Amino acid sequence: MNKRNWIKVSQDADTGIESIRAHFQGHAYDPHWHDSFLVGVTEHGVQQFNCRRARHYSTPGKVFLLEPGEIHDGHAPTEEGFTYSTLYLDPLWLERELLALFEHAPSNSLPGFADTLSQDPRLAKAVALAFHALHEGDLRMARQAAVDSLLAALTEHLQWRKHQALDPRLPLVAQVARDYLHAHAYEDIGLDDLARACEVDRFRLSRAFKAAFGLAPHAYLIQLRLAKARQLLANGDSPVQVASALGFADQSHLGRWFRRAYQLTPADYRKRCSNLPD
């Protein structure tokens, strides 16, 4: 990591919400995705990132909203870099909380964000207050009140979509490949295995998959493993245990990919989230 960059991580024991405050100059992180909803605010500088097939520029006071699985990267286009605070919301937790807020929530539907960036000052204030309450371990009642205010502000930026087995916007071969990767995420899968499961050749598979998801199949598979690695590390598992359980060649292999995606070593992430000794 660039010596001028820094990152601070915490996790709320009651909700499981992970909070991250970070500063980056130059390249921040490679394309990746999370299995959480991300709600954050840019504090200083210009935060440039690609998501939903568009390039976005988040400046101070803007809120960025990412759904699980949305591929994004990060870069500082100006010399001063950028600082941001973000909350990682577990999808099951968020859905449960939102259903309690919406008396007439659509049946068989999932919540999503209408836009990737927002200039809503009410939402920005709610994000900042919730971040500080959770990240700094405020009184339990204060944390709960801040989270409730955040959820109330988020309701104006949500859209609901029906549960669908298949997304009509994406090629069928890419969706079959994705489902296969999820089902065999910790196995040593080859492109030929994936192509046979999709009943196409490897080249057609790779083109369709990258067009649909923005990553090659092997990079998507790594992201699947990294998402699980975050969970295991936060629960206190050692990097050696995690690397072995998730099919990485060794701890160093896990570490290289983890640093590229999150700008932290697995051991550092574990320590910050679990407060356990290395």
Side-chain angles (χ1 to χ4, degrees):
M1 182 187 294
N2 184 322
K3 290 183 179 180
R4 297 170 295 179
N5 297 345
W6 51 262
I7 184 167
K8 299 176 181 178
V9 183
S10 183
Q11 189 172 53
D12 180 59
D14 291 337
T15 61
I17 294 175
E18 187 176 294
S19 57
I20 290 182
R21 185 166 186 258
H23 177 81
F24 291 106
Q25 292 178 270
H27 175 73
Y29 31 81
D30 293 337
H32 67 287
W33 53 267
H34 302 277
D35 55 359
S36 306
F37 285 88
L38 266 65
V39 180
V41 62
T42 302
E43 298 180 21
H44 306 289
V46 180
Q47 181 178 357
Q48 174 188 306
F49 64 98
N50 295 290
C51 185
R52 297 188 182 183
R53 302 181 184 276
R55 177 163 291 178
H56 305 275
Y57 295 90
S58 183
T59 50
K62 285 188 178 180
V63 177
F64 49 93
L65 303 158
L66 301 177
E67 298 177 20
E70 288 196 321
I71 296 169
H72 59 285
D73 55 12
H75 180 73
T78 61
E79 187 176 348
E80 66 176 330
F82 64 90
T83 305
Y84 70 91
S85 299
T86 187
L87 299 170
Y88 292 69
L89 311 178
D90 176 76
L92 294 177
W93 175 87
L94 181 61
E95 187 173 356
R96 184 177 66 249
E97 295 295 317
L98 289 175
L99 289 174
L101 283 175
F102 283 94
E103 293 183 7
H104 305 289
S107 59
N108 192 36
S109 297
L110 292 170
F113 294 131
D115 299 299
T116 303
L117 277 181
S118 169
Q119 298 188 71
D120 180 357
R122 175 173 175 249
L123 178 59
K125 182 178 179 180
V127 173
L129 290 175
F131 177 87
H132 287 295
L134 295 168
H135 196 72
E136 297 170 9
D138 209 338
L139 293 174
R140 187 181 182 194
M141 189 176 293
R143 298 200 310 271
Q144 291 173 339
V147 168
D148 286 349
S149 295
L150 172 62
L151 291 171
L154 276 176
T155 58
E156 298 179 13
H157 298 267
L158 290 173
Q159 59 184 7
W160 294 85
R161 61 178 183 271
K162 291 289 184 182
H163 278 279
Q164 290 181 309
L166 296 173
D167 187 335
R169 299 168 299 179
L170 299 177
L172 179 60
V173 63
Q175 297 185 71
V176 171
R178 177 188 59 189
D179 291 345
Y180 187 90
L181 290 177
H182 279 261
H184 303 273
Y186 312 132
E187 301 173 20
D188 189 14
I189 305 169
L191 271 177
D192 49 354
D193 300 319
L194 196 56
R196 278 194 296 271
C198 298
E199 299 181 344
V200 296
D201 63 73
R202 299 201 320 247
F203 303 102
R204 182 183 168 194
L205 164 69
S206 295
R207 286 197 300 270
F209 197 94
K210 191 162 187 179
F213 301 116
L215 293 175
H218 75 275
Y220 188 95
L221 178 62
I222 289 290
Q223 291 298 320
L224 272 178
R225 295 180 179 183
L226 290 177
K228 184 62 175 178
R230 286 168 67 104
Q231 296 176 11
L232 295 177
L233 291 164
N235 288 335
D237 288 8
S238 71
V240 173
Q241 291 172 317
V242 172
S244 176
L246 302 186
F248 287 95
D250 51 31
Q251 182 180 347
S252 296
H253 187 213
L254 166 64
R256 286 195 299 273
W257 279 102
F258 203 92
R259 285 192 300 273
R260 284 179 62 178
Y262 309 124
Q263 297 291 341
L264 283 172
T265 67
D268 198 16
Y269 180 83
R270 172 182 180 265
K271 183 178 181 181
R272 295 179 191 215
C273 285
S274 65
N275 293 318
L276 293 172
D278 291 333

